[in-house]
Amino acid sequence: MRVLLSLVAYILLERLKSLMLQGTDLAKAQAGTIRLKLLKIGAVITRNTRRIRFSLSEHYSLKDLFFMLWEKLQAT
C-alpha cells in the first residue's frame, strides 16, 4: 500500500509539473525539488465560519509562483 501511495504522489507531482509549471523556474525540476519548494512550506492557516485564510511568510521567495499555481489549480 505504501508503494502505491508513493506512486500516486509521484504521478501527481509529474502532472503538476507538466501542466501547471510550464514557463517557470520549476518546469524542469525534479519531483523532490518541487515538493521541497512548493509543498513543504511554513504557513499559518486560520479558519472561521466564512473563509479559510492562508498566510505565508513575507520572506518566502516563491510566494508569487505559489499563488500563481494556486489560482491555476482553482480555475481547473
Side-chain angles (χ1 to χ4, degrees):
M1 187 66 168
R2 185 179 284 178
V3 173
L4 182 64
L5 289 175
S6 296
L7 177 67
V8 169
Y10 180 78
I11 290 171
L12 284 174
L13 278 176
E14 286 296 318
R15 290 291 175 179
L16 178 76
K17 181 173 79 169
S18 66
L19 297 175
M20 301 288 181
L21 293 175
Q22 291 300 320
T24 65
D25 293 340
L26 296 176
K28 294 185 179 181
Q30 295 178 354
T33 304
I34 295 171
R35 184 178 138 266
L36 181 67
K37 293 191 179 213
L38 289 179
L39 300 178
K40 288 182 73 175
I41 55 174
V44 176
I45 300 171
T46 54
R47 187 184 80 170
N48 62 19
T49 56
R50 293 185 187 179
R51 70 176 68 141
I52 297 173
R53 176 174 272 175
F54 188 77
S55 302
L56 294 173
S57 171
E58 290 186 20
H59 300 288
Y60 177 52
S61 61
L62 298 173
K63 184 188 272 189
D64 295 331
L65 177 64
F66 181 84
F67 283 118
M68 183 266 308
L69 181 64
W70 180 259
E71 290 182 10
K72 278 186 177 182
L73 287 172
Q74 285 182 338
T76 58

